[in-house]
Amino acid sequence: MSAKKYVVKIGSNLLVDEKRKVNTGIIEWLAREISSVGKHQISCVVVTSGAIGVGRIARGVSSSKLNMRDKQALAAVGQPELMSYYRDVFAREQLDVAQVLLTNEDFASRSRFMNIRNTLLTLLDYGVVSVINENDTVATDEIKFGDNDTLSAHVASSLGADTLVMLTDVEGLYRGEFLTENLVGTVTKITPEIEKLAGDKSGSKYGTGGMASKIKAARIAVTAGVRTVLAKPSDGLFLKIKNGDAGGTLFLPSPRLDSKKCWLAFGAKIKGTVFVDKGAASAVLSGKSLLAAGVRNSEGTFRYGDAVKICETPSGADVARGLVNFSSEQLARIQGKHSREIPAILSDATGSEVVHRDNLVIIQAR
Ligand code: GLU
């Protein structure tokens, strides 16, 4: 298998132009870029939008307001057509493609998460380029990623990718007007100030993303240890990224999380929230297990082994995700108690930590 993996996200605004035509030029460019880094032991996985946009063109639908049923149906029309562009264009670069359609729910179950990971890794072994989109036909609002930026970050973290490249129609993130001197070159930490630069949340006519969703996705990726680049397509871009001089905006990664912790941080369905005092929050942030003594209260109904959110109280700061060793009912009885008191309160307790440090993942502080 190749030494490095890039996940490349390409949005509808780049794939479908204002004249309502599919921009095959950008798919040709992408194939050339993937082929050029392939010679340097870098394999790529593509996350593509455009199914709905291509479906609209195919069906001659011009209305900019579409309801969920229309979007789902148009995605079903557009997706195979979109794939046929990828298949034909990539074949000219001797690249084979595979279609992978995913929903948010697929990442929530640990076994499905592992299946996704294993399939994508096997396709990489085959030398086949996975072309991933959200499975719009089955994804309703409640279970949707909502935008492919977030999906690409989940894919990158599940794969332990080296780099997530989010292609944009501007050079990157700007402080103010789109002038070269305003371009943010490197982001070491995604602060509220950086989030504010993303401005309004709206996407383009054909896509749902926008800069805000790119920053949200970058946060997921860097927390998982994936370096993230926002850049405009240009010839030789991927080789420049390899050499560390891509231009655009580079988000530096945190230390890498293993696959189980990535799942816990971003995939697992959160069943409740455990509120802890400042001391316990600092202990967790420094890598220690969460003990009952530091727990103030909890919200939600959860069982042994469920994923919970850990927040500091009273600040409400999001601290970590963890797999809990007690049900919400049991936790209510032992919160604030010293570990040695637990056996007397709960005769069936299997351990003393509320969340063991091996089952904890810290969420990058906001
Ligand atoms: N999955 C949608 C599509 O292919 C796009 C979602 C997005 O714009 O991010 O059309």
Side-chain angles (χ1 to χ4, degrees):
M1 198 197 304
S2 295
K4 283 190 173 162
K5 302 181 269 289
Y6 285 8
V7 172
V8 184
K9 188 264 164 175
I10 180 159
S12 303
N13 53 343
L14 290 170
L15 283 159
V16 181
D17 71 23
E18 280 306 310
K19 291 190 211 89
R20 306 183 7 91
K21 278 184 62 186
V22 178
N23 182 0
T24 46
I26 195 83
I27 304 179
E28 284 161 13
W29 168 84
L30 186 57
R32 285 196 304 274
E33 292 292 315
I34 291 176
S35 159
S36 74
V37 285
K39 298 179 186 109
H40 297 270
Q41 279 67 55
I42 295 170
S43 0
C44 297
V45 165
V46 174
V47 175
T48 187
S49 303
I52 299 171
V54 172
R56 289 166 75 115
I57 296 173
R59 300 296 306 162
V61 177
S62 59
S63 154
S64 56
K65 288 245 173 299
L66 293 175
N67 61 33
M68 177 65 80
R69 280 173 67 160
D70 286 325
K71 283 189 201 160
Q72 290 177 319
L74 290 171
V77 172
Q79 180 63 28
E81 199 157 332
L82 180 64
M83 277 313 294
S84 73
Y85 285 108
Y86 275 100
R87 190 197 55 214
D88 296 349
V89 171
F90 274 45
R92 286 184 231 142
E93 290 290 332
Q94 280 76 50
L95 294 170
D96 291 330
V97 296
Q99 170 183 268
V100 179
L101 298 176
L102 300 172
T103 66
N104 201 357
E105 292 233 307
D106 297 327
F107 286 84
S109 121
R110 177 93 185 119
S111 62
R112 280 181 175 226
F113 174 92
M114 290 310 291
N115 289 338
I116 296 169
R117 185 179 141 80
N118 291 338
T119 303
L120 295 177
L121 290 175
T122 306
L123 287 164
L124 282 169
D125 276 343
Y126 291 173
V128 169
V129 182
S130 295
V131 179
I132 304 172
N133 195 355
E134 179 149 20
N135 191 354
D136 292 308
T137 306
V138 298
T140 50
D141 273 340
E142 300 73 50
I143 62 162
K144 246 180 129 43
F145 277 110
D147 60 74
N148 279 4
D149 297 324
T150 311
L151 170 61
S152 69
H154 282 262
V155 168
S157 68
S158 72
L159 276 177
D162 176 70
T163 306
L164 169 62
V165 184
M166 282 192 275
L167 297 168
T168 52
D169 50 8
V170 291
E171 299 291 343
L173 180 66
Y174 287 84
R175 295 180 193 279
E177 278 181 75
F178 294 147
L179 300 169
T180 314
E181 65 262 33
N182 288 341
L183 184 68
V184 179
T186 304
V187 175
T188 45
K189 189 171 176 202
I190 301 176
T191 57
E193 190 228 340
I194 291 290
E195 280 173 335
K196 229 180 266 159
L197 295 181
D200 86 282
K201 301 205 178 329
S202 60
S204 70
K205 180 170 174 194
Y206 294 105
T208 50
M211 203 42 91
S213 81
K214 293 200 171 44
I215 304 290
K216 195 176 127 212
R219 175 192 294 286
I220 294 172
V222 297
T223 305
V226 180
R227 131 181 113 131
T228 299
V229 178
L230 291 189
K232 193 173 177 171
S234 66
D235 286 337
L237 176 69
F238 289 12
L239 282 176
K240 287 190 202 146
I241 290 175
K242 170 185 167 288
N243 298 328
D245 61 352
T249 302
L250 168 69
F251 295 81
L252 296 178
S254 307
R256 191 169 287 287
L257 290 180
D258 66 29
S259 123
K260 180 179 166 196
K261 292 206 169 180
C262 278
W263 169 76
L264 186 52
F266 311 117
K269 198 163 241 157
I270 303 299
K271 295 286 174 58
T273 305
V274 176
F275 294 95
V276 304
D277 63 22
K278 214 166 172 61
S282 325
V284 166
L285 287 169
S286 66
K288 302 209 173 92
S289 298
L290 174 64
L291 303 178
V295 175
R296 287 281 161 267
N297 61 314
S298 68
E299 240 172 49
T301 306
F302 44 84
R303 293 188 306 197
Y304 168 86
D306 279 345
V308 293
K309 192 168 165 177
I310 298 168
C311 289
E312 189 189 290
T313 185
S315 72
D318 190 353
V319 177
R321 305 280 177 276
L323 299 178
V324 76
N325 284 332
F326 299 98
S327 68
S328 39
E329 212 178 52
Q330 289 174 321
L331 189 57
R333 295 170 60 197
I334 59 166
Q335 65 195 27
K337 304 279 193 236
H338 195 281
S339 300
R340 67 172 173 269
E341 298 175 80
I342 295 176
I345 306 169
L346 299 174
S347 52
D348 54 348
T350 47
S352 61
E353 297 93 355
V354 173
V355 180
H356 190 273
R357 62 195 178 95
D358 290 347
N359 294 323
L360 258 176
V361 54
I362 291 161
I363 297 301
Q364 189 184 312
R366 299 195 124 234

